[in-house]
Amino acid sequence: MSNALAALGAFVLRQGAVSEHCAEIDFEFPRVHAMDVYCLLVANGIELSQEAHQQLADLCHCTQELGGEAEGTLVRINVSVYARAEGESFLGAPAGKLSEAA
């Protein structure tokens, strides 16, 4: 997933362990790739809260409405990734923080 995010122009600003079973990743990407990033997170099994789905859907809708005005702007997202029981896959739950970066 990291390579796919990098291909979209995303870069990690901060990452680290929150607890023994939780890591947090803060990254930025060009706003024009909002839909691609949203799809990538979901396609890779990152489970999003209802609030996070709504925020990402709103971001995608606004980006689409802005058209060319979205060019050159960055957005920032913070995602928490949780480990389930040993041997099981990781599940993600976004912290629900989206903000535009200048």
Side-chain angles (χ1 to χ4, degrees):
M1 187 168 92
S2 296
N3 290 338
L5 284 170
L8 294 172
F11 51 96
V12 175
L13 300 171
R14 185 180 54 80
Q15 63 183 3
V18 176
S19 71
E20 183 179 346
H21 301 287
C22 178
E24 193 170 81
I25 305 166
D26 195 15
F27 62 97
E28 270 183 353
F29 54 90
R31 185 181 187 131
V32 295
H33 294 302
M35 180 64 81
D36 297 320
V37 170
Y38 185 19
C39 291
L40 183 65
L41 292 172
V42 172
N44 278 279
I46 304 297
E47 290 192 14
L48 303 173
S49 66
Q50 183 176 0
E51 179 185 2
H53 275 294
Q54 187 62 55
Q55 288 177 331
L56 284 165
D58 289 346
L59 174 65
C60 293
H61 181 73
C62 283
T63 299
Q64 189 176 31
E65 291 292 318
L66 285 172
E69 293 178 41
E71 289 287 331
T73 60
L74 297 175
V75 290
R76 183 175 176 174
I77 186 171
N78 181 286
V79 178
S80 296
V81 180
Y82 296 90
R84 292 181 70 188
E86 187 175 43
E88 292 187 25
S89 63
F90 281 91
L91 297 177
K97 298 176 189 171
L98 285 175
S99 62
E100 285 193 34

